[in-house]
Amino acid sequence: MKYCIKGGEIVNPAGEYSGVGDLLLDAGQVVAVGQELPVEDAVIIQAEGKMVLPGLIDMHCHLREPGREDEETIASGTRAAVKGGFTAVACMANTNPVADGAVVIEYVLSKARQNGWAKVYPIGAITKGLKGEELAEMGEMAEAGAVAFSDDGKTLTNPAVLRSALEYAALFDRPLLLHEEEPKLADAGVMHEGYWSTVLGLPGIPALAEDVMIARDLLIAEYTGGKVHFCHLSTAKGVGMLAEAKRRGLNVSGEATPHHFTLTDQALENYDTAFRVSPPLRSEEHREALRRGLQDGTIQVIATDHAPHSLEEKHREFALAPTGMIGLETAFSVAWTELVLGGWLTKEQLVEKLSVNPARLLNLPAGRLQPGDLADLIIVDPEWEWVVKPEEIASKSKNSPFIGRKLKARVETVWVNGILKYDGQKFVE
């Protein structure tokens, strides 16, 4: 199908044309981008007042399949992704069985080809079984299609294993995505250690638990020259250390999640388990540091850490409830509301962090609107005001901390490989 999107504001920081104009797509590719494009035999889509963006890319989500299809499947997770404007997602390896070999990587890719709404790029485990002891079959996984490696959900506590992993991953030009939390410092903590943990009487996790691991791993990254990406940064010192490492020329990057740059530990004052996450929501000082890190470019990526859990699991006592929250469907609107309308980022910077930079870090052919490129793009209404409602969530799980929150901007239309997947805020079946 041939489409011409006319009169929208094309926000395209990695492409050659940005500004109000037209975009023509045909046979799965962007054909032309510019002003007053001649059109023949195309479906015309009027986009005046709307924004046309390259498809968003989430480099950190959990699709739960194989193993926990009661919480999410590749079909339901990628459906949620498309609704949120993500045309591609990279899914973590902590499935059951763990994605620590080519068989599971190939399984995920096969299911995505059969049932996926968005593109799926699997991330392989760094160590077998996520046990942190023996390296997984990284070469086989890279050959099978793994775009990165991570033991996310667990920290690599053995520095020798991390060193070997960085040296080995470099052979395949793949980054390591690191979950940073020293388990002995985190101990039995269930929230950020600070004023609110004292008020609520809950055991805390100090920011030090994250900081000490980042410090160690920056030294190892410098020694090996490996490519390190820090998942879900949550501390002020962590942002500062990342900035200093980048100034010294290390091959490092980092991400922040919408919940960490929007919420603080005060959100836990009612013991609502929807706000329990790892790493924990921290104090205002840390939230401010994340926003400044996003603004000055220290933090290059916004990722969701979409982590579905059933309501039965989340309705346990606070300390026994699992950590994690969903985020694919709200990430863009939360970031737009908090960061763009809040004056922290321009719309171009937002597109860089949600599309351009994830594509570059994972070596994906995406992140811009340029003739000849795959037609992964979205139309967003920046003026649309909406309230997050559980009955409208496409994910199988509803554990969102933003339910009931009023947000601005909403994804209206989505193409993946030039195929219309979502239009008028409805799925194209």
Side-chain angles (χ1 to χ4, degrees):
M1 186 73 78
K2 189 175 182 180
Y3 297 93
C4 184
I5 305 164
K6 294 193 72 67
E9 181 184 4
I10 298 168
V11 184
N12 187 24
E16 293 180 359
Y17 181 87
S18 289
V20 174
D22 304 341
L23 188 147
L24 190 62
L25 59 130
D26 186 20
Q29 291 187 325
V30 176
V31 175
V33 188
Q35 294 181 325
E36 301 296 333
L37 295 180
V39 181
E40 292 182 359
D41 303 326
V43 175
I44 304 295
I45 296 176
Q46 299 294 343
E48 290 83 358
K50 312 289 176 61
M51 297 188 302
V52 182
L53 316 177
L56 310 182
I57 301 165
D58 187 12
M59 63 183 291
H60 181 169
C61 74
H62 302 267
L63 296 180
R64 301 298 191 217
E65 187 176 7
R68 286 306 306 265
E69 288 84 353
D70 59 315
E71 294 182 331
E72 196 75 286
T73 64
I74 290 169
S76 65
T78 53
R79 193 176 169 94
V82 162
K83 188 174 182 180
F86 290 94
T87 55
V89 297
C91 55
M92 287 294 178
N94 57 345
T95 50
N96 185 18
V98 171
D100 57 4
V103 172
V104 180
I105 298 296
E106 289 166 353
Y107 173 84
V108 169
L109 289 171
S110 173
K111 294 289 286 189
R113 283 192 295 271
Q114 295 170 24
N115 305 313
W117 286 74
K119 296 173 183 175
V120 175
Y121 296 99
I123 295 170
I126 297 172
T127 64
K128 292 183 178 179
L130 305 179
K131 294 179 179 178
E133 299 168 355
E134 185 180 358
L135 290 186
E137 302 295 342
M138 299 169 75
E140 289 183 7
M141 288 191 287
E143 188 174 347
V147 296
F149 301 104
S150 179
D151 277 7
D152 182 52
K154 295 187 176 180
T155 302
L156 273 176
T157 55
N158 186 329
V161 171
L162 176 60
R163 174 188 172 179
S164 298
L166 280 168
E167 292 171 340
Y168 198 43
L171 299 176
F172 317 106
D173 192 27
R174 300 291 196 276
L176 298 191
L177 280 52
L178 300 181
H179 178 117
E180 302 291 40
E181 184 178 84
E182 165 50 57
K184 291 185 178 176
L185 285 171
D187 197 20
V190 296
M191 65 175 295
H192 173 62
E193 180 180 277
Y195 171 81
W196 281 103
S197 66
T198 302
V199 169
L200 298 173
L202 293 172
I205 301 171
L208 176 66
E210 184 168 325
D211 296 338
V212 72
M213 296 305 297
I214 291 175
R216 184 201 74 171
D217 292 350
L218 283 172
L219 290 172
I220 298 173
E222 184 170 23
Y223 186 79
T224 60
K227 189 184 295 185
V228 164
H229 176 82
F230 294 111
C231 295
H232 39 50
L233 288 162
S234 73
T235 71
K237 281 189 177 176
V239 176
M241 286 189 282
L242 176 60
E244 197 273 338
K246 293 175 78 169
R247 282 193 291 272
R248 289 192 288 121
L250 272 63
N251 198 356
V252 293
S253 58
E255 70 189 32
T257 70
H259 46 275
H260 282 115
F261 63 68
T262 300
L263 306 169
T264 69
D265 54 348
Q266 186 177 356
L268 278 65
E269 61 182 333
N270 294 322
Y271 298 93
D272 187 342
T273 58
F275 296 91
R276 187 173 178 209
V277 66
S278 176
L281 301 176
R282 298 201 185 273
S283 63
E284 178 59 33
E285 169 201 358
H286 297 287
R287 180 176 70 161
E288 174 91 3
L290 292 177
R291 291 181 171 197
R292 293 198 180 283
L294 286 161
Q295 187 177 53
D296 67 18
T298 299
I299 301 173
Q300 296 148 286
V301 171
I302 293 173
T304 69
D305 193 9
H306 177 84
H309 290 292
S310 68
L311 290 179
E312 290 76 14
E313 288 179 311
K314 275 293 192 180
H315 283 170
R316 295 174 182 166
E317 181 183 333
F318 190 89
L320 300 178
T323 58
M325 50 186 68
I326 60 172
L328 284 167
E329 294 166 70
T330 53
F332 182 85
S333 299
V334 170
W336 180 267
T337 305
E338 294 289 329
L339 300 180
V340 177
L341 299 184
W344 293 93
L345 296 181
T346 65
K347 60 186 74 172
E348 290 79 11
Q349 288 174 311
L350 185 64
V351 171
E352 287 174 350
K353 294 178 193 303
L354 280 165
S355 182
V356 177
N357 293 340
R360 181 174 55 79
L361 290 169
L362 297 179
N363 295 315
L364 304 181
R368 66 176 188 174
L369 301 172
Q370 194 78 1
D373 288 348
L374 292 171
D376 296 337
L377 62 136
I378 65 175
I379 298 177
V380 175
D381 182 348
E383 299 300 326
W384 190 281
E385 191 170 89
W386 61 293
V387 176
V388 183
K389 298 176 181 177
E391 63 270 23
E392 296 179 359
I393 291 174
S395 171
K396 288 188 78 171
S397 296
K398 315 299 179 190
N399 54 310
S400 168
F402 296 110
I403 287 175
R405 180 171 286 222
K406 186 182 294 184
L407 301 172
K408 287 292 290 284
R410 197 160 192 180
V411 175
E412 283 197 341
T413 311
V414 179
W415 286 268
V416 180
N417 283 338
I419 300 172
L420 189 61
K421 297 282 188 174
Y422 189 72
D423 188 32
Q425 298 180 14
K426 294 180 180 178
F427 292 100
V428 179
E429 302 287 351

